[in-house]
Short mmCIF file of all heavy atoms in Angstrom, two decimals:
data_model
loop_
_atom_site.label_atom_id
_atom_site.label_comp_id
_atom_site.label_asym_id
_atom_site.label_seq_id
_atom_site.Cartn_x
_atom_site.Cartn_y
_atom_site.Cartn_z
N ALA A 173 69.51 210.71 202.27
CA ALA A 173 70.02 211.64 203.27
C ALA A 173 69.37 211.35 204.61
O ALA A 173 68.25 210.82 204.67
CB ALA A 173 69.74 213.08 202.86
N ASP A 174 70.07 211.69 205.68
CA ASP A 174 69.53 211.60 207.03
C ASP A 174 68.99 212.97 207.45
O ASP A 174 69.42 214.01 206.92
CB ASP A 174 70.61 211.15 208.01
CG ASP A 174 71.11 209.74 207.74
OD1 ASP A 174 70.29 208.91 207.29
OD2 ASP A 174 72.30 209.49 207.95
N ASN A 175 68.07 212.98 208.40
CA ASN A 175 67.55 214.24 208.89
C ASN A 175 68.68 215.13 209.41
O ASN A 175 69.53 214.68 210.17
CB ASN A 175 66.53 214.00 210.01
CG ASN A 175 65.19 213.53 209.49
OD1 ASN A 175 64.88 213.67 208.31
ND2 ASN A 175 64.39 212.98 210.36
N GLY A 176 68.68 216.37 208.97
CA GLY A 176 69.70 217.32 209.39
C GLY A 176 70.86 217.46 208.42
O GLY A 176 71.65 218.40 208.54
N ASP A 177 70.99 216.54 207.43
CA ASP A 177 72.05 216.66 206.44
C ASP A 177 71.81 217.89 205.56
O ASP A 177 70.66 218.24 205.26
CB ASP A 177 72.08 215.42 205.53
CG ASP A 177 72.70 214.21 206.20
OD1 ASP A 177 73.32 214.37 207.27
OD2 ASP A 177 72.57 213.10 205.64
N ILE A 178 72.89 218.54 205.14
CA ILE A 178 72.80 219.60 204.14
C ILE A 178 72.97 218.94 202.78
O ILE A 178 73.98 218.27 202.52
CB ILE A 178 73.86 220.68 204.37
CG1 ILE A 178 73.63 221.36 205.73
CG2 ILE A 178 73.82 221.72 203.26
CD1 ILE A 178 74.68 222.40 206.09
N VAL A 179 71.97 219.11 201.92
CA VAL A 179 71.93 218.38 200.67
C VAL A 179 71.71 219.31 199.48
O VAL A 179 71.22 220.43 199.63
CB VAL A 179 70.81 217.31 200.68
CG1 VAL A 179 70.97 216.36 201.84
CG2 VAL A 179 69.42 217.96 200.68
N VAL A 180 72.06 218.81 198.31
CA VAL A 180 71.59 219.39 197.06
C VAL A 180 70.27 218.69 196.74
O VAL A 180 70.23 217.47 196.55
CB VAL A 180 72.60 219.18 195.92
CG1 VAL A 180 72.02 219.65 194.59
CG2 VAL A 180 73.89 219.91 196.22
N ALA A 181 69.19 219.46 196.72
CA ALA A 181 67.87 218.90 196.47
C ALA A 181 67.35 219.39 195.12
O ALA A 181 67.40 220.59 194.82
CB ALA A 181 66.90 219.31 197.57
N LEU A 182 66.88 218.46 194.31
CA LEU A 182 66.26 218.79 193.03
C LEU A 182 64.75 218.83 193.24
O LEU A 182 64.14 217.84 193.63
CB LEU A 182 66.63 217.76 191.98
CG LEU A 182 66.17 218.03 190.54
CD1 LEU A 182 66.83 219.29 190.00
CD2 LEU A 182 66.50 216.83 189.66
N VAL A 183 64.14 219.99 193.01
CA VAL A 183 62.73 220.21 193.27
C VAL A 183 61.95 220.12 191.96
O VAL A 183 62.21 220.88 191.03
CB VAL A 183 62.50 221.58 193.93
CG1 VAL A 183 61.01 221.82 194.17
CG2 VAL A 183 63.27 221.67 195.24
N GLU A 184 61.02 219.15 191.90
CA GLU A 184 60.15 218.96 190.74
C GLU A 184 60.94 218.82 189.45
O GLU A 184 60.50 219.25 188.38
CB GLU A 184 59.14 220.10 190.64
CG GLU A 184 58.18 220.15 191.83
CD GLU A 184 57.13 221.23 191.72
OE1 GLU A 184 57.34 222.17 190.93
OE2 GLU A 184 56.11 221.14 192.42
N ASP A 185 62.14 218.20 189.54
CA ASP A 185 63.00 217.94 188.38
C ASP A 185 63.40 219.19 187.62
O ASP A 185 63.83 219.10 186.46
CB ASP A 185 62.31 216.96 187.41
CG ASP A 185 62.19 215.56 187.98
OD1 ASP A 185 63.14 215.12 188.67
OD2 ASP A 185 61.15 214.92 187.76
N GLN A 186 63.29 220.37 188.26
CA GLN A 186 63.58 221.60 187.54
C GLN A 186 64.50 222.55 188.29
O GLN A 186 65.29 223.25 187.67
CB GLN A 186 62.28 222.35 187.22
CG GLN A 186 61.36 221.62 186.26
CD GLN A 186 60.11 222.42 185.95
OE1 GLN A 186 59.81 223.40 186.63
NE2 GLN A 186 59.38 222.01 184.94
N GLU A 187 64.42 222.59 189.61
CA GLU A 187 65.16 223.56 190.39
C GLU A 187 66.06 222.87 191.40
O GLU A 187 65.65 221.88 192.01
CB GLU A 187 64.19 224.49 191.14
CG GLU A 187 63.25 225.25 190.23
CD GLU A 187 62.18 225.98 191.02
OE1 GLU A 187 61.71 225.43 192.05
OE2 GLU A 187 61.81 227.09 190.60
N ALA A 188 67.26 223.40 191.57
CA ALA A 188 68.19 222.83 192.54
C ALA A 188 68.45 223.83 193.64
O ALA A 188 68.57 225.03 193.39
CB ALA A 188 69.50 222.46 191.85
N THR A 189 68.54 223.34 194.88
CA THR A 189 68.78 224.23 196.01
C THR A 189 69.60 223.50 197.06
O THR A 189 69.61 222.27 197.13
CB THR A 189 67.44 224.72 196.61
OG1 THR A 189 67.68 225.73 197.58
CG2 THR A 189 66.67 223.58 197.25
N LEU A 190 70.32 224.27 197.89
CA LEU A 190 71.15 223.73 198.97
C LEU A 190 70.45 224.02 200.28
O LEU A 190 70.28 225.18 200.67
CB LEU A 190 72.53 224.39 198.95
CG LEU A 190 73.57 223.84 199.92
CD1 LEU A 190 74.06 222.47 199.46
CD2 LEU A 190 74.76 224.80 200.03
N LYS A 191 70.01 222.98 201.00
CA LYS A 191 69.23 223.16 202.22
C LYS A 191 69.47 221.99 203.17
O LYS A 191 69.97 220.93 202.78
CB LYS A 191 67.73 223.24 201.91
CG LYS A 191 67.31 224.48 201.14
CD LYS A 191 67.37 225.71 201.99
CE LYS A 191 66.88 226.94 201.23
NZ LYS A 191 67.74 227.30 200.11
N ARG A 192 69.04 222.16 204.42
CA ARG A 192 69.00 221.03 205.35
C ARG A 192 67.78 220.17 205.04
O ARG A 192 66.70 220.69 204.75
CB ARG A 192 68.94 221.51 206.80
CG ARG A 192 70.27 222.01 207.32
CD ARG A 192 70.31 222.04 208.83
NE ARG A 192 71.53 222.64 209.33
CZ ARG A 192 72.68 221.99 209.48
NH1 ARG A 192 72.74 220.70 209.19
NH2 ARG A 192 73.74 222.62 209.93
N PHE A 193 67.96 218.87 205.16
CA PHE A 193 66.94 217.88 204.77
C PHE A 193 66.28 217.31 206.02
O PHE A 193 66.95 216.90 206.96
CB PHE A 193 67.62 216.77 203.97
CG PHE A 193 66.74 215.59 203.63
CD1 PHE A 193 66.11 215.51 202.40
CD2 PHE A 193 66.57 214.55 204.54
CE1 PHE A 193 65.33 214.41 202.08
CE2 PHE A 193 65.79 213.45 204.23
CZ PHE A 193 65.16 213.39 203.00
N PHE A 194 64.95 217.31 206.02
CA PHE A 194 64.19 216.65 207.08
C PHE A 194 63.01 215.90 206.44
O PHE A 194 62.30 216.46 205.61
CB PHE A 194 63.65 217.65 208.10
CG PHE A 194 64.71 218.30 208.94
CD1 PHE A 194 65.24 219.53 208.56
CD2 PHE A 194 65.20 217.68 210.08
CE1 PHE A 194 66.24 220.13 209.33
CE2 PHE A 194 66.20 218.28 210.84
CZ PHE A 194 66.71 219.51 210.46
N ARG A 195 62.83 214.65 206.86
CA ARG A 195 61.68 213.88 206.38
C ARG A 195 60.57 213.96 207.42
O ARG A 195 60.79 213.71 208.60
CB ARG A 195 62.05 212.42 206.13
CG ARG A 195 60.93 211.59 205.52
CD ARG A 195 61.41 210.20 205.15
NE ARG A 195 62.42 210.22 204.12
CZ ARG A 195 62.15 210.34 202.83
NH1 ARG A 195 60.89 210.47 202.42
NH2 ARG A 195 63.13 210.34 201.94
N ARG A 196 59.36 214.31 206.97
CA ARG A 196 58.21 214.43 207.85
C ARG A 196 57.08 213.59 207.28
O ARG A 196 56.26 214.06 206.48
CB ARG A 196 57.76 215.89 207.96
CG ARG A 196 58.81 216.83 208.56
CD ARG A 196 58.29 218.25 208.61
NE ARG A 196 59.27 219.17 209.18
CZ ARG A 196 59.12 220.49 209.20
NH1 ARG A 196 58.02 221.03 208.70
NH2 ARG A 196 60.05 221.26 209.72
N GLY A 197 57.04 212.33 207.66
CA GLY A 197 56.02 211.43 207.12
C GLY A 197 56.17 211.29 205.63
O GLY A 197 57.20 210.87 205.12
N GLY A 198 55.14 211.70 204.88
CA GLY A 198 55.18 211.61 203.42
C GLY A 198 55.64 212.88 202.77
O GLY A 198 55.44 213.08 201.57
#
Side-chain angles (χ1 to χ4, degrees):
D174 295 326
N175 283 343
D177 284 347
I178 297 177
V179 304
V180 173
L182 186 64
V183 178
E184 297 182 340
D185 291 323
Q186 295 182 347
E187 301 171 323
T189 189
L190 186 72
K191 292 289 183 294
R192 284 199 186 276
F193 173 96
F194 291 95
R195 185 173 295 279
R196 299 179 180 172

